[in-house]
Amino acid sequence: MEWLSAENVVAIGTAVLGIVASAGMVWYERRVPRRKRVGYRVQMDNPIIGDDVRSGRANRRLGLFLFDGAPDMSDATLVLLRIENDGSQGIDRDDYTSPERHGLTAVFTDRTVRGVSVTQPTDTDHLMDHFTAERGFGYEGNTLRIPRVPLNRGDHFKLLVLLSGGDVGREIRIVGGIREGEVHPNRSATPDDKPPLFSRASRMITIMLTVCVVTLAAIVVARDDAPPPIGCEKGTLTLTGSTAFEPVMREVAKKYEEDCAGATVTVDPHGSTAGTRELATAGTQAKGHGSPPLIALSDGPKPADMPELRENRVALSVFALVVNDDVGLTNLSTADVRRLYQGEITNWRQLGGRSLPVHLVSRDANSGTRQVFQRRVLGRGEMANSSVDCVNKDYPTAPVTRCELDSTDQVLTQVARLPGAIGYSELNLAGRANSLHVLFLDGNAPSVDAIEHGHSPYPYREIEYAYTYGRPPADSLASSFLTYLSRGNGQNIVRTHGHVPCWTPEGMKLCA
């Protein structure tokens, strides 16, 4: 596991930030003073006399002529103050630290207090008892003395103050002290504004955590969503055996190397029988040193004389007979195929095709594809080889021309360019070749889908085996690669190349 990957760093950072932030808030609540807070805000500051020219605002009045002509009231204003306990604890009379009888002082810059009215919510009528002259309630000049009013958490009261002699909007402040607390202006300055739901610290923490989570999500989405390989291992490994299964082996090997850094997988196929014998020899030479780093793929089961080889069922492979397009046939019976490969049919016109001599293009004795063909279709071995170049007979008495080639690709190439030629191949490779086509057998198409869903008795098919010498260690590259091939991402590649993975529900039945 890559512990220092980008998403791990962001995830760990997010977790640490959350823990530190939570612990910090708890510490702040328990240790930092100023949990007792008196906040104030100006909810109204309006002129009531004159045109308010100095403030720059137009003023219209209806019925407010009481102060017209009154001395020193030509520029009267009304201010509404809201004073509240916005801390986490209640405030008692003794919590005010002023040396005077009153607790707080409101200062109106450049204005003179002319009168004041006190209001409070209906459920806090008891607050009104504190607004008396004996308890310091009064005003003088530009100051208003506010008594030591006890406030439970969330309580508030309002002061409607009549002023004169100054501009609207001049500074208004409340001064005083609270034991283990503070008096402070609130952010909201008008009735229409709402106080912030969260503190600045809470907003900053929320923003930081959100950025971390979004970054983590972006990294996860941007990364390849393919499931990781099962148990990556480092080292070197060689794949040998079936040439028909070679395209699958090469792609799976390449994908494994991409997914698992430090692994080198070499593909070197020479045929199923040659591969299993190479594995048996390597295992014998490595006796006492564990299983060799070699896997042999085989079209069908191993020879009976190799008990040390351990099988792993990988896929069901479908094979096909292929003929040159000039032959003119699309279907053969199993009986006709047997007659062809026994030398009884020498010209395609004997089976209803065009007048072309028969050329049998076969695989060598190491081929698993050939062994499956003999076991599943012919029911016996093929006739003797009679040609080196697949075109001319090496001896005149041979009934038909028959040659043997080393790989599936060679067979397909030869059948495509030789009129009258017939051969056999793994189905997916045959379907991609030009100038030839696959044959139906007894009217059954070589269809992977039909076979997988149990709708076809098509006979030319076989299990693809992966062999190791004994059981490789669980932490070996060979063991990891086999798991990757049969149960990991390799299953998708197997299916892409026209095989049925043995570990799918349908494949388990077919590979049993």
Side-chain angles (χ1 to χ4, degrees):
M1 181 177 181
E2 190 178 350
W3 289 102
L4 294 180
S5 62
E7 63 267 34
N8 286 350
V9 171
V10 174
I12 294 173
T14 303
V16 170
L17 179 60
I19 294 172
V20 171
S22 300
M25 294 302 292
V26 171
W27 177 85
Y28 183 85
E29 285 293 324
R30 292 182 177 273
R31 299 296 182 184
V32 176
R34 299 182 179 178
R35 288 182 295 165
K36 296 180 179 180
R37 293 159 53 99
V38 172
Y40 68 92
R41 44 182 157 153
V42 178
Q43 291 192 305
M44 181 181 71
D45 188 357
N46 290 334
I48 59 174
I49 298 296
D51 292 332
D52 193 23
V53 176
R54 286 184 296 176
S55 69
R57 292 180 290 184
N59 178 261
R60 295 294 182 266
R61 294 173 288 132
L62 179 63
L64 291 177
F65 299 100
L66 176 64
F67 300 109
D68 283 352
D72 300 324
M73 295 298 291
S74 61
D75 50 5
T77 56
L78 280 176
V79 169
L80 181 63
L81 282 175
R82 176 187 171 105
I83 301 172
E84 57 195 343
N85 179 354
D86 60 358
S88 61
Q89 293 186 0
I91 297 174
D92 296 327
R93 286 177 47 83
D94 295 337
D95 288 327
Y96 293 90
T97 61
S98 171
E100 307 292 336
R101 283 184 300 168
H102 63 280
L104 304 173
T105 301
V107 180
F108 301 88
T109 303
D110 296 336
R111 285 189 271 188
T112 302
V113 179
R114 299 296 184 178
V116 61
S117 174
V118 183
T119 64
Q120 79 288 321
T122 57
D123 58 346
T124 57
D125 291 339
H126 61 283
L127 298 182
M128 194 64 69
D129 297 338
H130 298 276
F131 290 94
T132 63
E134 291 76 15
R135 296 193 175 183
F137 185 44
Y139 59 86
E140 181 178 358
N142 69 340
T143 63
L144 169 64
R145 298 185 298 276
I146 304 170
R148 299 170 181 260
V149 181
L151 294 172
N152 294 325
R153 181 179 179 182
D155 283 355
H156 76 274
F157 60 87
K158 296 182 180 181
L159 301 173
L160 181 62
V161 186
L162 175 64
L163 303 162
S164 67
D167 296 341
V168 168
R170 297 291 288 174
E171 180 185 17
I172 300 171
R173 68 183 189 278
I174 294 180
V175 296
I178 301 293
R179 183 178 293 106
E180 295 185 355
E182 65 174 350
V183 177
H184 70 103
N186 282 335
R187 183 188 66 85
S188 180
T190 69
D192 296 328
D193 289 340
K194 294 181 179 179
L197 184 61
F198 299 105
S199 67
R200 180 178 298 178
S202 299
R203 295 196 300 271
M204 289 300 299
I205 291 172
T206 301
I207 292 172
M208 292 168 63
L209 290 175
T210 301
V211 170
C212 291
V213 171
V214 170
T215 302
L216 177 61
I219 292 174
V220 172
V221 171
R223 288 178 64 89
D224 184 7
D225 59 358
I230 303 174
C232 282
E233 299 292 344
K234 298 179 180 180
T236 59
L237 178 68
T238 299
L239 307 179
T240 188
S242 171
T243 59
F245 211 64
E246 179 181 355
V248 176
M249 288 192 288
R250 290 198 181 279
E251 188 169 345
V252 175
K254 179 182 178 181
K255 181 64 175 173
Y256 186 91
E257 289 177 342
E258 292 174 354
D259 289 343
C260 298
T264 301
V265 183
T266 303
V267 179
D268 186 25
H270 302 292
S272 297
T273 301
T276 53
R277 295 200 179 280
E278 179 183 352
L279 176 61
T281 300
T284 301
Q285 294 174 349
K287 281 239 174 167
H289 300 284
S291 178
L294 181 65
I295 295 175
L297 279 296
S298 175
D299 307 329
K302 65 183 178 179
D305 60 343
M306 300 178 184
E308 303 89 353
L309 301 192
R310 180 177 179 271
E311 72 177 32
N312 299 270
R313 301 189 180 201
V314 175
L316 179 78
S317 295
V318 180
F319 302 87
L321 283 165
V322 293
V323 294
N324 185 277
D325 286 339
D326 291 339
V327 170
L329 295 176
T330 58
N331 177 69
L332 288 175
S333 67
T334 303
D336 288 338
V337 173
R338 290 171 178 171
R339 293 171 62 200
L340 275 167
Y341 279 85
Q342 290 171 11
E344 297 176 10
I345 304 296
T346 60
N347 193 293
W348 287 106
R349 68 172 176 268
Q350 296 174 251
L351 298 175
R354 294 174 183 167
S355 182
L356 292 170
V358 172
H359 294 266
L360 304 178
V361 182
S362 298
R363 288 290 308 282
D364 59 22
N366 289 321
S367 168
T369 306
R370 169 179 167 174
Q371 293 168 12
V372 175
F373 176 59
Q374 294 175 164
R375 183 168 60 252
R376 298 284 188 179
V377 181
L378 297 183
R380 55 174 294 173
E382 296 184 46
M383 60 182 292
N385 190 27
S386 63
S387 175
V388 173
D389 59 9
C390 300
V391 179
N392 303 299
K393 297 178 184 178
D394 292 344
Y395 49 93
T397 57
V400 294
T401 301
R402 179 183 177 275
C403 64
E404 295 181 358
L405 300 176
D406 295 335
S407 70
T408 299
D409 285 339
Q410 292 178 9
V411 169
L412 293 174
T413 299
Q414 190 63 263
V415 171
R417 70 186 181 191
L418 182 60
I422 182 173
Y424 39 76
S425 162
E426 185 271 325
L427 177 59
N428 194 50
L429 294 175
R432 296 201 300 261
N434 297 319
S435 302
L436 56 79
H437 58 271
V438 300
L439 288 172
F440 285 40
L441 286 177
D442 299 318
N444 297 305
S447 168
V448 174
D449 288 340
I451 293 172
E452 183 175 8
H453 295 94
H455 300 154
S456 174
Y458 183 80
Y460 195 7
R461 52 179 167 170
E462 186 56 274
I463 298 172
E464 193 71 31
Y465 293 89
Y467 287 101
T468 59
Y469 192 88
R471 183 186 296 273
D475 59 351
S476 66
L477 177 54
S479 178
S480 172
F481 184 85
L482 283 174
T483 304
Y484 184 90
L485 172 64
S486 60
R487 304 183 196 182
N489 291 343
Q491 287 189 97
N492 297 329
I493 299 173
V494 168
R495 182 172 290 281
T496 299
H497 284 268
H499 307 273
V500 182
C502 282
W503 282 88
T504 63
E506 297 82 5
M508 292 180 72
K509 297 177 184 177
L510 294 170
C511 295

Short mmCIF file of all heavy atoms in Angstrom, two decimals, residues 226-247:
data_model
loop_
_atom_site.label_atom_id
_atom_site.label_comp_id
_atom_site.label_asym_id
_atom_site.label_seq_id
_atom_site.Cartn_x
_atom_site.Cartn_y
_atom_site.Cartn_z
N ALA A 226 -10.38 1.60 -11.79
CA ALA A 226 -10.28 0.16 -11.92
C ALA A 226 -9.87 -0.44 -10.58
O ALA A 226 -9.08 0.13 -9.85
CB ALA A 226 -9.25 -0.21 -12.99
N PRO A 227 -10.44 -1.59 -10.22
CA PRO A 227 -10.09 -2.18 -8.93
C PRO A 227 -8.61 -2.55 -8.89
O PRO A 227 -8.03 -2.95 -9.90
CB PRO A 227 -10.97 -3.45 -8.88
CG PRO A 227 -11.33 -3.73 -10.29
CD PRO A 227 -11.40 -2.41 -10.98
N PRO A 228 -7.96 -2.35 -7.76
CA PRO A 228 -6.53 -2.65 -7.68
C PRO A 228 -6.27 -4.13 -7.82
O PRO A 228 -7.13 -4.96 -7.50
CB PRO A 228 -6.15 -2.16 -6.27
CG PRO A 228 -7.42 -2.23 -5.51
CD PRO A 228 -8.51 -1.92 -6.47
N PRO A 229 -5.14 -4.52 -8.32
CA PRO A 229 -4.80 -5.93 -8.43
C PRO A 229 -4.72 -6.57 -7.06
O PRO A 229 -4.50 -5.91 -6.05
CB PRO A 229 -3.43 -5.93 -9.12
CG PRO A 229 -2.88 -4.58 -8.83
CD PRO A 229 -4.06 -3.65 -8.77
N ILE A 230 -4.92 -7.90 -7.05
CA ILE A 230 -4.92 -8.62 -5.79
C ILE A 230 -3.49 -9.02 -5.46
O ILE A 230 -2.86 -9.80 -6.15
CB ILE A 230 -5.80 -9.89 -5.90
CG1 ILE A 230 -7.22 -9.49 -6.31
CG2 ILE A 230 -5.81 -10.65 -4.59
CD1 ILE A 230 -8.14 -10.65 -6.59
N GLY A 231 -2.93 -8.50 -4.41
CA GLY A 231 -1.63 -8.92 -3.90
C GLY A 231 -0.49 -8.74 -4.88
O GLY A 231 0.11 -9.73 -5.31
N CYS A 232 -0.17 -7.53 -5.28
CA CYS A 232 0.96 -7.29 -6.18
C CYS A 232 2.25 -7.83 -5.58
O CYS A 232 2.49 -7.70 -4.38
CB CYS A 232 1.11 -5.80 -6.46
SG CYS A 232 -0.07 -5.15 -7.65
N GLU A 233 3.09 -8.39 -6.43
CA GLU A 233 4.40 -8.87 -6.02
C GLU A 233 5.44 -8.42 -7.04
O GLU A 233 5.12 -8.18 -8.20
CB GLU A 233 4.43 -10.41 -5.90
CG GLU A 233 3.46 -10.99 -4.88
CD GLU A 233 3.82 -10.63 -3.45
OE1 GLU A 233 4.98 -10.21 -3.21
OE2 GLU A 233 2.96 -10.78 -2.56
N LYS A 234 6.67 -8.33 -6.59
CA LYS A 234 7.77 -7.94 -7.46
C LYS A 234 8.55 -9.17 -7.90
O LYS A 234 8.43 -10.23 -7.31
CB LYS A 234 8.69 -6.96 -6.73
CG LYS A 234 8.03 -5.65 -6.33
CD LYS A 234 9.00 -4.75 -5.60
CE LYS A 234 8.33 -3.44 -5.19
NZ LYS A 234 9.26 -2.53 -4.48
N GLY A 235 9.37 -8.99 -8.96
CA GLY A 235 10.21 -10.08 -9.43
C GLY A 235 10.05 -10.31 -10.91
O GLY A 235 9.55 -9.44 -11.64
N THR A 236 10.47 -11.47 -11.37
CA THR A 236 10.38 -11.83 -12.79
C THR A 236 9.58 -13.12 -12.93
O THR A 236 9.63 -14.00 -12.07
CB THR A 236 11.77 -12.01 -13.40
OG1 THR A 236 12.47 -13.05 -12.70
CG2 THR A 236 12.57 -10.72 -13.33
N LEU A 237 8.87 -13.23 -14.05
CA LEU A 237 8.03 -14.40 -14.32
C LEU A 237 7.99 -14.61 -15.82
O LEU A 237 7.95 -13.64 -16.60
CB LEU A 237 6.62 -14.19 -13.76
CG LEU A 237 5.61 -15.30 -14.01
CD1 LEU A 237 5.98 -16.55 -13.22
CD2 LEU A 237 4.20 -14.84 -13.63
N THR A 238 7.97 -15.87 -16.25
CA THR A 238 7.87 -16.21 -17.68
C THR A 238 6.59 -16.98 -17.92
O THR A 238 6.26 -17.90 -17.16
CB THR A 238 9.08 -17.04 -18.13
OG1 THR A 238 10.28 -16.28 -17.94
CG2 THR A 238 8.95 -17.40 -19.61
N LEU A 239 5.88 -16.61 -18.99
CA LEU A 239 4.68 -17.33 -19.42
C LEU A 239 5.01 -18.05 -20.72
O LEU A 239 5.51 -17.44 -21.66
CB LEU A 239 3.52 -16.36 -19.64
CG LEU A 239 3.17 -15.41 -18.48
CD1 LEU A 239 2.01 -14.50 -18.90
CD2 LEU A 239 2.82 -16.18 -17.23
N THR A 240 4.69 -19.31 -20.77
CA THR A 240 4.97 -20.10 -21.97
C THR A 240 3.75 -20.95 -22.27
O THR A 240 2.71 -20.86 -21.60
CB THR A 240 6.22 -20.97 -21.78
OG1 THR A 240 6.55 -21.59 -23.04
CG2 THR A 240 6.01 -22.03 -20.72
N GLY A 241 3.85 -21.79 -23.32
CA GLY A 241 2.76 -22.70 -23.64
C GLY A 241 1.99 -22.28 -24.86
O GLY A 241 2.55 -21.97 -25.92
N SER A 242 0.66 -22.22 -24.74
CA SER A 242 -0.27 -22.08 -25.86
C SER A 242 -0.03 -20.82 -26.69
O SER A 242 -0.02 -19.71 -26.17
CB SER A 242 -1.70 -22.06 -25.32
OG SER A 242 -2.61 -21.71 -26.33
N THR A 243 0.11 -21.01 -28.01
CA THR A 243 0.18 -19.87 -28.91
C THR A 243 -1.22 -19.31 -29.18
O THR A 243 -1.36 -18.13 -29.50
CB THR A 243 0.84 -20.25 -30.24
OG1 THR A 243 0.09 -21.30 -30.87
CG2 THR A 243 2.27 -20.73 -30.01
N ALA A 244 -2.25 -20.15 -29.06
CA ALA A 244 -3.61 -19.67 -29.25
C ALA A 244 -4.01 -18.69 -28.14
O ALA A 244 -4.78 -17.76 -28.38
CB ALA A 244 -4.59 -20.85 -29.28
N PHE A 245 -3.47 -18.89 -26.96
CA PHE A 245 -3.80 -18.03 -25.82
C PHE A 245 -2.79 -16.89 -25.67
O PHE A 245 -2.86 -16.10 -24.73
CB PHE A 245 -3.83 -18.87 -24.54
CG PHE A 245 -4.79 -18.37 -23.50
CD1 PHE A 245 -6.15 -18.35 -23.73
CD2 PHE A 245 -4.34 -17.93 -22.27
CE1 PHE A 245 -7.05 -17.90 -22.78
CE2 PHE A 245 -5.22 -17.47 -21.30
CZ PHE A 245 -6.59 -17.45 -21.56
N GLU A 246 -1.84 -16.80 -26.62
CA GLU A 246 -0.78 -15.80 -26.53
C GLU A 246 -1.29 -14.36 -26.45
O GLU A 246 -0.79 -13.58 -25.63
CB GLU A 246 0.17 -15.95 -27.72
CG GLU A 246 1.29 -14.92 -27.73
CD GLU A 246 2.20 -15.07 -28.94
OE1 GLU A 246 2.01 -16.02 -29.72
OE2 GLU A 246 3.12 -14.23 -29.10
N PRO A 247 -2.29 -13.94 -27.27
CA PRO A 247 -2.76 -12.56 -27.16
C PRO A 247 -3.26 -12.21 -25.76
O PRO A 247 -3.03 -11.10 -25.26
CB PRO A 247 -3.88 -12.48 -28.20
CG PRO A 247 -3.56 -13.55 -29.19
CD PRO A 247 -2.96 -14.66 -28.38
#
